[in-house]
């Protein structure tokens, strides 16, 4: 069975993977033995993200975001973004394609518009309006949320839902973004998608150059631009 890149995340010495069967497994990264299995999703798991050393968030085709406790194996909270009227896009469906988590905040979207949720409350906090665009990637960068999808733009929002920037790339659609903030002088953002090239942005918004014919993995190996989390734990 194939476990896709966006469904695999590392927590400490463990790797968590979600599959097409709706299940998530926890594997010891040293012994490579399965430690636990989580069941709850009724469709494929499209996104997994570590929250802290004891919990993680998952979402998928069933349109439900679940927060899991690694110690008990139970879902301690769940919410359905499409049920929040502000985010609902019935014509596009209820499935979730991407999410990210930062402390008690979760941002997610897919068929529903991107929305920000505070885990201590029972409803969405902010709508991150992408029109009819379906997001493929979203990430927190301190108090900014960056997202992209099946159009040419890279969106930057504040936690209030206010759009800060809408940056135009040279891609027809954006499937992934990677941030490198190690430089003291500036932050780089690399976007990949279709056509098969990378767009490299300086200071998150200025398009510096493009790199054709490289996959995102090869580009990470070639350039000093690396992911800022466990984004590349496994891809098969």
């Amino acid at each position: 069975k194939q476990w896709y890149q966006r469904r695999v995340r590392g927590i400490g010495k463990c790797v968590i993977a979600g599959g097409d069967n709706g299940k998530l497994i926890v594997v010891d990264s040293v012994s490579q033995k399965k430690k636990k299995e989580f069941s709850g999703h009724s469709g494929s798991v499209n996104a997994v993200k570590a929250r802290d050393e004891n919990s993680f968030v998952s979402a998928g085709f069933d349109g439900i975001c679940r927060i899991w406790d690694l110690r008990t194996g139970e879902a301690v909270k769940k919410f359905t973004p499409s049920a929040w009227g502000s985010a609902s896009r019935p014509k596009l469906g209820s499935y979730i394609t991407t999410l990210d988590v930062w402390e008690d905040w979760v941002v997610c979207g897919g068929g529903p518009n991107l929305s920000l949720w505070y885990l201590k409350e029972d409803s969405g906090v902010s709508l991150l309006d992408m029109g009819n665009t379906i997001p493929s990637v979203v990430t927190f960068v301190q108090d900014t949320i960056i997202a992209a999808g099946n159009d040419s733009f890279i969106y930057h929002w504040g936690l209030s839902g206010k759009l800060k920037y809408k940056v135009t790339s040279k891609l027809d659609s954006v499937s992934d973004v990677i941030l490198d903030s190690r430089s003291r002088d500036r932050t780089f953002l690399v976007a990949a998608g279709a056509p098969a090239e990378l767009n490299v942005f300086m200071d998150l918004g200025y398009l510096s150059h493009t790199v054709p014919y490289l996959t995102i993995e090869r580009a990470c190996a070639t350039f000093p631009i690396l992911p800022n989390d466990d984004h590349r734990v496994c891809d098969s």
Side-chain angles (χ1 to χ4, degrees):
K1 186 174 184 62
Q2 193 170 26
W3 300 89
Y4 294 98
Q5 190 176 66
R6 204 173 293 284
R7 307 179 196 175
V8 181
R9 285 294 180 266
I11 300 181
K13 295 182 179 180
C14 296
V15 173
I16 301 173
D20 290 336
N21 58 5
K23 295 183 178 181
L24 298 113
I25 60 171
V26 181
V27 178
D28 187 290
S29 59
V30 178
S31 67
Q32 299 184 11
K33 294 182 178 180
K34 185 170 75 171
K35 297 178 65 177
K36 285 185 180 181
E37 184 174 295
F38 297 77
S39 298
H41 289 287
S42 60
S44 63
V45 178
N46 296 335
V48 181
K49 188 68 179 184
R51 183 186 178 198
D52 54 39
E53 62 181 10
N54 293 317
S55 62
F56 67 95
V57 185
S58 66
F61 189 78
D62 61 6
I64 301 173
C65 289
R66 286 178 166 84
I67 294 84
W68 301 89
D69 189 319
L70 270 173
R71 297 161 295 186
T72 65
E74 300 293 329
V76 296
K77 189 177 181 66
K78 64 180 181 179
F79 58 89
T80 306
S82 63
W84 187 43
S86 298
S88 178
R89 297 189 294 189
K91 291 183 178 180
L92 296 180
S94 61
Y95 61 92
I96 303 298
T97 55
T98 185
L99 66 82
D100 197 15
V101 58
W102 174 51
E103 297 180 350
D104 290 327
W105 299 90
V106 174
V107 60
C108 57
N113 223 325
L114 271 179
S115 54
L116 179 66
W117 295 71
Y118 186 54
L119 295 182
K120 295 182 180 180
E121 299 182 3
D122 293 326
S123 69
V125 176
S126 300
L127 174 69
L128 312 177
D129 190 8
M130 297 183 74
N132 290 321
T133 298
I134 297 174
S136 56
V137 59
V138 63
T139 184
F140 283 102
V141 183
Q142 296 179 350
D143 61 348
T144 298
I145 298 168
I146 297 177
N150 62 338
D151 64 15
S152 301
F153 303 107
I154 299 171
Y155 301 82
H156 300 239
W157 287 278
L159 296 181
S160 66
K162 181 179 179 180
L163 184 64
K164 293 182 175 181
Y165 311 105
K166 185 177 178 181
V167 181
T168 303
S169 73
K170 290 188 176 181
L171 300 167
D172 295 330
S173 64
V174 181
S175 59
D176 210 352
V177 296
I178 287 178
L179 289 137
D180 179 17
S181 57
R182 293 173 299 172
S183 171
R184 294 182 179 180
D185 299 325
R186 58 189 56 193
T187 299
F188 292 91
L189 183 147
V190 182
E197 67 177 29
L198 303 180
N199 284 198
V200 181
F201 296 85
M202 291 184 180
D203 300 322
L204 304 183
Y206 168 69
L207 180 60
S208 170
H209 58 282
T210 63
V211 183
Y213 310 125
L214 290 176
T215 66
I216 196 75
E217 289 81 11
R218 286 182 58 194
C220 287
T222 305
F223 300 99
I225 301 171
L226 300 174
N228 61 352
D229 63 3
D230 51 3
H231 194 72
R232 297 287 169 233
V233 173
C234 179
D235 61 5
S236 63

